[in-house]
Amino acid sequence: MSGPLLEGPQGARIYRIGDSGEAVAEIIGKLQRLGLLEPGGHFVYDEATAHAVRGFQQQRGLMIDGIVGPQTYRAIDDARWRLGDRLLTYVVSHPLTGDDVVALQAKLQELGFAVARVDGIFGADTQRAVTEFQRNMGLPGDGTCGPSTFKALQRIRPMATGGRPDALRASEAVRAAGPRLSGKTVVIDPGHGGFDYGWEGFGLRESDVAYDLASRIEGRLGATGVRAYLSRGRDQGPDELARAAFANETDANLCVSLHTDGSMNPEAQGVATYYYGTDLHGASSSVGEQFAGLVQREIVARTDLLNCRTHTKTWDLLRRTKMPAVRLEIGYVTNPHDSARLADAAFRDVVAEAIVVAIQRVYLPPEQDAATGMLRLGQLTV
C-alpha cells in the first residue's frame, strides 16, 4: 500500500500506540460497541487497540496499518449507525454517510429503485430513489427517510432477488458513450504531492514518479481528443476528499489515480490495481472492476513487473468519485528491480501507453476490442 505518510489533510490528527485523551477514549468506545475490543475502562491507544483497528481496516477495505487517520476515523464513525437510528436526508454541502445509508441504498436497489452505487453516501441519486419509493408507497415524496418511510421499507419485500441493476445501468452508460475517445473526459490523479512525498527509495520519490507518469498520460490522451485533467499541480498535495471533489466537478467519464508502492521488505515488488468495492456490504463498481482488470493486464503484458492482481478497496478516491475510478500501485520504489524500471523514461512511456490503451478498451465493444498488449496508440478510435 502507498505510504508511509498517512491519508488526510495536512495537520489532521492521527492516533497511534501510546496516544491518550478524549479522542482516543472515543475511538476505543466505538470499537468496543462494534465488538472489536473487549469492554473495559482503558483510555490509552495500546497494542490491543491497534490490533482491533487493523481488523476493522481489513474488514472495511482500508489501509491496514493499525493507525487511526482521518479516513479510518470517519469509517469507524460510519459503522455505528443502523437503519432507523436517525433521520436521513440529503445535505448538499455535507452528505450524510454511514452503515444506515448503506442499508437504505441496498434495500432500495433490491426493490428496483435506481441507486447509482451502494457507497454509504446519501447523495442526490439516493434522494431521488427515496422520493420515487415514497411516491410508490403513497407517502409524501420529500426524499427524507423518517419513521413512516422506515416502516414502509420494513413492510415491503422484493418480488424477485438477485441481479445487479446498478451494474446494468453502468454498462449501458459506457455503451451509450460510444467507442471514440474524442470528447470524453478523464481525470488523472498523481498521488501524494507537496510535502507528502509518499514512499522513497533508490533516489526516487513516489510523488515525483506519479506526477511524471500523469503528465505522460495527459499528453497522450490530449492527442486523442480527450479532455484530460490533473488533480494537482507539481507542488500541491490535496487530500483524497479534495481530489474526489475535483473529479466530480469535471463530470469525468473515468478517473485514474497513480501511485508507486513501498515496503520495509526490499523483496516486495510488482504492480496492483484497485477499484471500489467491499465484501462487507457486497457492493462494488462493475465498470471500475472491468477498468482495473484492463489496466492491470495491459501493464503486465507490456512490462516485466510482477502481477499482484486487482483488488477491492473503499479508499475515499474510489468511493467518493461518481465515475468509475481505479488506483494503480505501479511497482515498489523500495525494490531494486522495480525502482530501476521506474527510473527509466522509456519504461514510463510504456506504462503510460498501457494505461491509455486500457482507457480505450473500456469503451470498445467486443467485436472491436483487441488482444491484451497488442493495441497501440496509433490504432485508438479518435
Side-chain angles (χ1 to χ4, degrees):
M1 301 302 118
S2 204
L5 295 182
L6 297 173
E7 82 270 32
Q10 188 174 7
R13 188 65 201 273
I14 294 170
Y15 303 96
R16 64 186 84 205
I17 291 177
D19 287 344
S20 60
E22 291 184 8
V24 171
E26 178 192 350
I27 291 168
I28 290 172
K30 289 177 179 177
L31 291 170
Q32 289 171 341
R33 287 190 289 276
L34 291 172
L36 297 173
L37 260 181
E38 291 294 326
H42 67 290
F43 304 106
V44 176
Y45 200 120
D46 54 15
E47 182 57 48
T49 305
H51 180 76
V53 169
R54 283 192 291 270
F56 177 83
Q57 290 169 328
Q58 183 173 23
Q59 182 186 61
R60 298 275 166 163
L62 300 168
M63 196 81 73
I64 305 171
D65 54 16
I67 298 170
V68 177
Q71 189 166 335
T72 297
Y73 184 89
R74 288 193 296 270
I76 291 173
D77 189 62
D78 284 351
R80 67 192 174 105
W81 296 107
R82 296 294 176 265
L83 191 59
D85 285 354
R86 57 178 173 168
L87 191 75
L88 294 175
T89 190
Y90 179 38
V91 182
V92 178
S93 60
H94 188 69
L96 295 176
T97 63
D99 279 17
D100 52 347
V101 180
V102 170
L104 172 64
Q105 292 172 328
K107 182 68 173 179
L108 289 169
Q109 188 176 96
E110 187 180 36
L111 294 171
F113 295 95
V115 176
R117 181 192 293 175
V118 179
D119 56 11
I121 304 170
F122 198 110
D125 66 310
T126 303
Q127 181 192 45
R128 285 192 294 269
V130 170
T131 301
E132 186 181 354
F133 170 77
Q134 290 169 328
R135 289 171 178 165
N136 275 264
M137 298 300 294
L139 299 171
D142 58 8
T144 294
C145 248
S148 60
T149 303
F150 291 135
K151 289 178 182 177
L153 285 166
Q154 290 171 352
R155 287 198 310 267
I156 193 168
R157 294 289 183 269
M159 298 296 292
T161 59
R164 286 281 308 277
D166 60 321
L168 293 174
R169 286 191 293 269
S171 296
E172 175 57 23
V174 169
R175 188 201 64 78
R180 301 177 67 86
L181 283 180
S182 180
K184 291 182 172 60
T185 301
V186 176
V187 168
I188 310 156
D189 170 51
H192 302 277
F195 293 106
D196 178 3
Y197 302 133
W199 285 100
E200 299 183 60
F202 296 95
L204 295 178
R205 286 177 173 172
E206 178 180 0
S207 57
D208 295 337
V209 174
Y211 191 84
D212 180 77
L213 274 172
S215 300
R216 293 169 193 265
I217 296 166
E218 179 190 27
R220 286 161 174 77
L221 287 174
T224 69
V226 171
R227 293 185 293 268
Y229 298 101
L230 298 189
S231 66
R232 69 169 176 89
R234 182 178 296 276
D235 299 319
Q236 297 171 322
D239 67 9
E240 284 204 359
L241 293 178
R243 295 168 194 256
F246 172 81
N248 290 335
E249 288 169 4
T250 68
D251 198 25
N253 298 93
L254 297 171
C255 177
V256 182
S257 184
L258 303 172
H259 291 252
T260 62
D261 218 327
S263 173
M264 301 306 293
N265 179 359
E267 294 185 5
Q269 61 177 304
V271 55
T273 310
Y274 300 86
Y275 61 96
Y276 172 73
T278 167
D279 293 337
L280 181 66
H281 302 304
S284 67
S285 168
S286 57
V287 177
E289 181 178 9
Q290 176 197 3
F291 186 20
L294 289 170
V295 172
Q296 183 72 14
R297 291 194 296 274
E298 287 292 341
I299 292 177
V300 169
R302 295 162 188 260
T303 72
D304 57 354
L305 294 179
L306 182 68
N307 184 3
C308 295
R309 300 181 295 280
T310 63
H311 309 272
T312 57
K313 287 293 179 184
T314 61
W315 295 327
D316 279 337
L317 189 74
L318 303 179
R319 178 189 177 198
R320 293 177 178 268
T321 43
K322 297 177 183 177
M323 73 294 302
V326 298
R327 170 167 162 168
L328 283 74
E329 301 277 356
I330 309 166
Y332 282 66
V333 295
T334 51
N335 175 268
H337 170 268
D338 287 4
S339 61
R341 304 298 282 139
L342 288 167
D344 182 357
F347 178 83
R348 297 186 192 186
D349 281 337
V350 171
V351 172
E353 180 173 7
I355 293 169
V356 173
V357 165
I359 291 171
Q360 169 69 93
R361 291 186 64 195
V362 169
Y363 295 98
L364 289 180
E367 64 273 14
Q368 294 183 29
D369 201 3
T372 297
M374 301 304 294
L375 195 61
R376 294 293 181 260
L377 291 177
Q379 300 172 294
L380 300 187
T381 305
V382 298

